[in-house]
Amino acid sequence: MNAIADVQSTRDLRNLPINQVGIKDLRFPITLRTAEGEQATVARLTMTVYLPAEQKGTHMSRFVALMEQQTEALSFERLQQLTREMVELLDSHSGKISVSFPFFRKKTAPVSGIQSLLDYDVTLTGEIKNGAYSHSLKVMVPVTSL
């Protein structure tokens, strides 16, 4: 039986770099580190790396394998480590991880004083461009007006 050729590792002669190649909308359970302790949730991840012109492809399974090994609660510090690990694992100089998830907080009603959970849509993004790391946080806050 013949093995399937590793096309991703072969040289590409078309001279076409790709700014972002990877996976989108990977659903994955994560734990978040918060001021109140740890909170479990389910995230949607987009993980991409830069693909140089001379490289034909990347190993998509390595993105998932990286998340399978992820056991720590997610924080900005852990997102930075994870982004650096991804870029190194996929032999690139640039990459991005976006993690979107529902985040729950207890809120107290102003009149009745009843507590209930309110969910916020959160996106954490860590990015490395030519070795420099940056991150961002986006929170969608539900507002009700009576």
Side-chain angles (χ1 to χ4, degrees):
M1 179 180 234
N2 294 337
I4 297 174
D6 182 6
V7 176
Q8 290 96 330
S9 298
T10 61
R11 200 157 165 73
D12 191 342
L13 304 175
R14 295 173 292 176
N15 197 29
L16 296 170
I18 300 174
N19 290 334
Q20 292 186 36
V21 62
I23 59 174
K24 183 177 180 180
D25 286 334
L26 171 68
R27 282 178 49 124
F28 207 84
I30 62 168
T31 303
L32 304 168
R33 187 176 311 143
T34 72
E36 291 81 29
E38 292 189 356
Q39 182 181 125
T41 190
V42 176
R44 288 192 179 273
L45 290 102
T46 297
M47 304 170 77
T48 60
V49 292
Y50 173 81
L51 189 66
E54 64 277 359
Q55 195 173 336
K56 264 198 181 175
T58 192
H59 296 275
M60 296 295 185
S61 62
R62 291 184 183 171
F63 292 106
V64 179
L66 180 65
M67 290 310 299
E68 290 286 340
Q69 296 170 6
Q70 159 61 21
T71 58
E72 289 181 47
L74 191 63
S75 62
F76 276 118
E77 294 79 18
R78 182 61 188 135
L79 180 61
Q80 180 176 2
Q81 291 171 344
L82 208 53
T83 307
R84 291 195 187 282
E85 290 170 19
M86 178 189 71
V87 167
E88 184 178 318
L89 181 66
L90 291 157
D91 197 26
S92 185
H93 61 67
S94 300
K96 182 192 293 190
I97 299 177
S98 289
V99 186
S100 298
F101 53 88
F103 179 76
F104 293 90
R105 292 206 42 135
K106 279 190 180 174
K107 297 298 282 184
T108 304
V111 176
S112 68
I114 296 173
Q115 284 193 338
S116 62
L117 288 175
L118 187 59
D119 67 305
Y120 301 86
D121 291 324
V122 177
T123 301
L124 298 176
T125 302
E127 183 172 16
I128 295 174
K129 280 189 180 176
N130 300 314
Y133 179 79
S134 64
H135 64 251
S136 64
L137 167 68
K138 179 172 94 172
V139 181
M140 298 295 288
V141 179
V143 176
T144 303
S145 176
L146 302 176

